[in-house]
């Protein structure tokens, strides 16, 4: 796949989003590699309290997520100081969460969302197969209830997570984010 970093304007962030176990980390890392851009794994920025809460099967609320989302936005801005393009994996389940990631009221930034979407049963199978993640299967339904699909005025694309990873990256890169 051709590297497309040069085609991206300064201050471009790609956010690979969706519920737990949809493939955000893998697709985000592959997209970053294709763009020759740094990859930010959003889960690494959760404070210990959030991880403990999720590990106990307790869904995060808006207040729990606020500081985490602000830290991710700060990390995007930090990355932009040395790289014109950055890729982030983050659930970004609600429009309000995506607004925080856009920053500056969404003005002056090119933040693109790649929503990995799929059927609950497939995602549950993926979650059950993971052994080293703090998010238990019991939180999947909470995440699905919280999820607000991308809206028409948001720069984003929804992709079917059943596609192979290389195809998902190809689809994301070929989407006309105009």
């Amino acid at each position: 796949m051709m590297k497309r970093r040069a085609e991206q304007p300064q201050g471009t962030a790609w956010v690979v989003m969706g519920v737990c176990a949809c493939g955000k980390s893998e697709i985000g890392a592959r997209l970053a590699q294709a763009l020759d851009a740094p990859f930010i794994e959003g889960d690494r920025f959760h404070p210990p309290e959030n991880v403990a809460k999720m590990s106990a099967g307790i869904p995060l609320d808006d207040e729990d997520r606020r500081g985490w989302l602000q830290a991710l936005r700060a990390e995007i801005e930090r990355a932009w100081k040395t790289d014109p393009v950055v890729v982030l994996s983050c659930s970004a389940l609600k429009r309000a969460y995506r607004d925080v990631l856009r920053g500056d009221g969404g003005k002056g930034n090119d933040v693109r969302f790649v929503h990995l979407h799929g059927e609950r049963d497939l995602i549950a199978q993926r979650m059950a197969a993971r052994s080293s993640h703090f998010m238990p299967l019991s939180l999947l339904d909470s995440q699905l209830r919280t999820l607000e699909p991308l809206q028409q005025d948001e720069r984003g694309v929804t992709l079917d997570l059943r596609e192979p990873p290389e195809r998902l990256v190809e689809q994301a890169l070929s989407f006309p984010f105009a």
Side-chain angles (χ1 to χ4, degrees):
M1 179 176 296
M2 177 175 41
K3 298 208 186 283
R4 301 177 187 202
R5 180 180 182 150
E7 298 172 17
Q8 308 293 310
Q10 174 67 39
T12 299
W14 292 76
V15 178
V16 181
M17 62 168 281
V19 298
C20 46
C22 69
K24 296 180 296 288
S25 297
E26 180 179 358
I27 301 308
R30 287 174 179 249
L31 182 59
Q33 183 178 17
L35 292 166
D36 190 26
F39 174 60
I40 302 167
E41 170 54 70
D43 281 346
R44 292 194 181 131
F45 287 81
H46 272 297
E49 304 81 33
N50 284 8
V51 174
K53 196 171 182 180
M54 289 183 284
S55 295
I58 302 167
L60 299 181
D61 60 26
D62 291 351
E63 186 60 32
D64 294 324
R65 289 185 175 102
R66 179 175 290 119
W68 172 63
L69 292 164
Q70 290 169 340
L72 292 176
R73 177 59 195 186
E75 189 64 15
I76 289 170
E77 291 177 10
R78 187 202 59 73
W80 278 339
K81 291 178 181 174
T82 56
D83 291 283
V85 180
V86 63
V87 178
L88 166 71
S89 64
C90 173
S91 55
L93 298 174
K94 289 184 177 182
R95 169 69 184 250
Y97 304 165
R98 297 188 293 270
D99 287 345
V100 172
L101 296 173
R102 272 188 280 276
D104 193 27
K107 298 178 175 88
N109 299 309
D110 184 3
V111 179
R112 303 167 179 200
F113 294 92
V114 178
H115 176 194
L116 301 177
H117 176 72
E119 295 297 319
R120 184 208 180 279
D121 290 345
L122 175 59
I123 296 167
Q125 288 173 359
R126 289 181 174 193
M127 286 186 80
R130 307 193 297 190
S131 61
S132 62
H133 199 276
F134 57 81
M135 180 74 84
L137 179 59
S138 62
L139 291 181
L140 176 57
D141 290 327
S142 168
Q143 287 213 328
L144 289 168
R145 279 191 305 274
T146 302
L147 178 64
E148 295 174 358
L150 290 169
Q151 297 174 17
Q152 284 189 335
D153 65 332
E154 292 184 277
R155 293 175 57 104
V157 59
T158 300
L159 302 177
D160 185 341
L161 60 82
R162 292 176 299 178
E163 293 285 338
E166 56 278 352
R167 178 75 179 123
L168 290 169
V169 171
E170 186 179 290
Q171 289 174 334
L173 289 171
S174 66
F175 187 77
F177 287 97

